[in-house]
Amino acid sequence: MSKVITPKEQDYSQWYNDIVIKAGLADHSAVKGCMVIKPYGFAIWERMQAVLDGMFKETGHSNAYFPLFIPKSFFAKEAAHVEGFAKECAVVTHYRLKNGPEGLVVDEDAKLEEELIVRPTSETIIWNTYRGWIQSYRDLPILINQWANVVRWEMRTRLFLRTAEFLWQEGHTAHATRQEAIEETEKMLGVYAEFAEKWMSVPVIKGVKTESERFAGALETYCIEAMMLDGKALQAGTSHFLGQNFAKAFDVKFLNKEGKSELVWATSWGVSTRLMGALVMSHSDNEGLVLPPLLAPTQVVIIPIFRDEEQLNKINEVVNNLKKVLLTDNIRVKYDTDDHHSPGWKFAEYELKGVPIRIAIGPKDLEKGTAELYRRDTRQKQFIPMEGLEKYIKDTLSEIQKNLFNKAVDLRTANTYKVDNYNEFKEILEKKNGFIWAHWDGTSETEEKIKEETKATIRCIPLNNSLEEGSCIYSGKPSKQRVIFAKAY
C-alpha cells in the first residue's frame, strides 16, 4: 500500500481518509457504515479513555454498564426522544435463524414479543432502572458513567467522524434539585473543555445549542465547538440538562426531607471516538498524523544507525541508559532495533504515525557525544548533546504540546469573522470556511433558512457571551447577542 498522503489543499476529504488508513488508525469494515479500529488507533483512544475516566472519577462519578438492547416501548415513553432517534434506530425483531432451502434464514416462528432497539443512547433503559434505585433524597445524587458502543444508522459515513457504530462514554446523573442538575451539566462541559484544550491541544468554544439543535428530550444542550484545519466546525462534546422529562416518562420520584414526593432532575453527557477525527483534523499535515505528546502512545522513538553488530552494541549501551531515565520520568519511549526496515523507512513511518520526537543515534553521534533530535510538529532537526538530553526531551515534549495548541488558536483567530449583513456573510462562506459571529433573531425559521441557503448552522450561543444590541443578518429583527455560524462536520 502506498504511504503517500493526498495533499489537503488538493482534496481535504481524501487527505483525512489517507491519514486515518495509512497511519494505521482504522479501516473500513465488511459491515457497511462500520469501522475497524486498528491497534494504533485504539491505543490513542485508550489514552483518551484513561484520562477522561480519571477526570470523571475525580468529580465523583462511578462506572457501570447497562444493556445493549432496549425495549421499543421504552422509547415511546418520551415523545421528543423517540422522535429524535426513530430514523436512526437498528431494530431486532427475531431471536433465531434456521436452515432454509437456500441457506440460513430468519426463523419466522422466533419473532420477539417486543422488538428491541440496539442502543443509540441509554437514557430510557437507565431511567427505567433508576426508578428501582431511588426512593428517598438520601439516594441522590446518582453519578454514573458507562463506556459503551452505540448504533445510530448512518447512510453516509466517514471513519471516526460518522459511523453506524461508534464507541463513547455516556454519563447519566440524577439529582434532587434543578440547580444541582444544571451545575452538573455545566461542570461536565468544563471537564470536556479542559480535556480538549489541555490534552488534545484543541481550543474550544463553550456554548449552548439552539432549540432546533438540542439533544432529543433535553431542556438545554451545552457543547464545545472546535475548528478543524479546513475552517469547518466540529462538535467535540455535549452535556445535556434533561430537566424532569425522563423522570416523568419513567415515574422516577423521591421523598424529599419534608416527606413530600418529587420528580428527579436529570443530566446526560458524552464524548465519542469522534474525538479521534478531531485529533487528526486539528494538527496533521501532508506528511501524516501529528499527535500532541500527552496522547501519543509513543512519545519518543529512538532509531539506531549502524552497519554491524559491534556498532549496535555500543549504541545499545547508550540508549538503554537513556531509555531507563525517560521511563522513570513516565515518558513513553520506544527503541526500534528492528533490522527488517532501513532507518529511512522508519523515519517516514514514525512521521506518518505522528510520534512527537524522533531520536537517531549512530557511530558519529557517539564520537561527538550528540544525538539527532527531530520534532514532528515543526519538522525541525537538531543535534543535542547527550549530556542533559533527558531534560531536553522532557522540555521539548512540553513545548510541542503548547505549540500545537497555540497553532490551533492562531488558525481559529485567522478564520474568525464578525459580520453585520447577510451579503458579507454569504461572500465569506462562498470563498472560505470559518467561524462567523453574527446577530440572529432567535427564531428557528431564520436559522433553517440560513442553513438551506448557505449550509451554515448555528454552532452555539457562546457562554459568557457579552450582550450586544444589533439586528439579525437575515431578518433585520432585533438581536441582543451574536452567535457562531459555521459549516460543520
Side-chain angles (χ1 to χ4, degrees), residues 102-220:
E102 297 180 4
L104 279 177
V105 296
V106 173
D107 186 345
E108 62 273 12
D109 295 326
K111 188 171 172 50
L112 292 169
E113 289 184 19
E114 179 181 2
E115 293 94 337
L116 296 173
I117 310 299
V118 182
R119 69 170 162 237
T121 182
S122 298
E123 278 78 7
T124 55
I125 193 137
I126 285 177
W127 278 88
N128 182 72
T129 304
Y130 282 179
R131 183 174 64 243
W133 292 4
I134 300 169
Q135 282 82 42
S136 160
Y137 70 91
R138 293 184 180 89
D139 300 320
L140 297 170
I142 292 177
L143 306 176
I144 295 289
N145 173 66
Q146 85 164 345
W147 293 95
N149 60 336
V150 292
V151 171
R152 296 181 185 176
W153 216 255
E154 295 279 359
M155 302 309 293
R156 299 178 64 186
T157 60
R158 185 179 294 183
L159 295 172
F160 290 121
L161 296 176
R162 195 171 292 277
T163 50
E165 180 194 17
F166 54 90
L167 305 182
W168 78 347
Q169 59 73 212
E170 48 180 323
H172 296 275
T173 68
H175 303 267
T177 69
R178 176 188 181 93
Q179 186 57 34
E180 281 182 24
I182 290 174
E183 287 174 0
E184 165 78 6
T185 311
E186 293 177 347
K187 178 198 294 180
M188 299 319 293
L189 186 77
V191 168
Y192 290 153
E194 181 184 353
F195 175 75
E197 297 194 338
K198 180 179 176 181
W199 295 84
M200 295 178 64
S201 289
V202 174
V204 294
I205 294 174
K206 294 189 287 185
V208 294
K209 289 291 188 183
T210 61
E211 183 178 354
S212 65
E213 294 286 332
R214 281 179 198 151
F215 175 77
L219 297 186
E220 202 77 84

Side-chain angles (χ1 to χ4, degrees), residues 254-446:
F254 71 102
L255 290 177
N256 64 21
K257 291 181 180 180
E258 289 73 41
K260 293 181 181 179
S261 180
E262 291 186 32
L263 288 166
V264 178
W265 297 85
T267 82
S268 67
W269 29 273
V271 294
S272 73
T273 38
R274 170 172 265 233
L275 290 181
M276 292 287 293
L279 202 63
V280 173
M281 291 199 295
S282 294
H283 305 305
S284 302
D285 58 25
N286 291 338
E287 305 306 315
L289 192 62
V290 177
L291 290 175
L294 289 178
L295 293 180
T298 299
Q299 295 173 306
V300 180
V301 62
I302 304 172
I303 299 172
I305 313 293
F306 62 95
R307 287 191 303 272
D308 53 47
E309 192 170 337
E310 182 183 352
Q311 289 181 345
L312 177 60
N313 288 336
K314 290 179 180 178
I315 295 169
N316 285 344
E317 187 177 341
V318 172
V319 172
N320 287 334
N321 289 331
L322 173 62
K323 184 179 175 182
K324 185 177 179 181
V325 175
L326 293 176
L327 289 172
T328 302
D329 280 338
N330 296 314
I331 293 172
R332 295 180 293 282
V333 57
K334 176 181 179 180
Y335 182 31
D336 189 345
T337 57
D338 175 19
D339 59 3
H340 295 304
H341 297 289
S342 69
W345 186 95
K346 293 178 184 179
F347 290 174
E349 182 70 5
Y350 290 115
E351 184 159 44
L352 175 63
K353 288 184 176 291
V355 175
I357 290 178
R358 184 185 78 219
I359 303 287
I361 299 177
K364 291 183 179 178
D365 298 301
L366 293 183
E367 290 175 13
K368 296 176 183 176
T370 62
E372 181 188 279
L373 184 147
Y374 176 85
R375 280 179 57 156
R376 181 64 185 89
D377 61 329
T378 60
R379 303 191 69 213
Q380 291 179 335
K381 191 185 299 182
Q382 56 191 135
F383 290 92
I384 308 298
M386 288 297 298
E387 188 176 344
L389 180 59
E390 301 90 343
K391 184 179 185 307
Y392 191 88
I393 288 172
K394 192 173 182 179
D395 291 344
T396 302
L397 287 171
S398 180
E399 279 181 25
I400 293 171
Q401 189 79 28
K402 292 174 185 174
N403 183 46
L404 291 178
F405 179 79
N406 292 335
K407 284 173 69 175
V409 169
D410 291 344
L411 175 91
R412 188 178 69 184
T413 301
N415 292 279
T416 297
Y417 312 92
K418 185 182 283 189
V419 305
D420 293 306
N421 66 76
Y422 195 49
N423 285 335
E424 186 182 358
F425 182 89
K426 289 188 292 185
E427 284 175 11
I428 289 172
L429 289 172
E430 285 171 4
K431 295 176 183 176
K432 62 191 83 172
N433 296 316
F435 285 178
I436 301 178
W437 291 69
H439 281 282
W440 164 62
D441 62 19
T443 68
S444 297
E445 293 78 13
T446 295

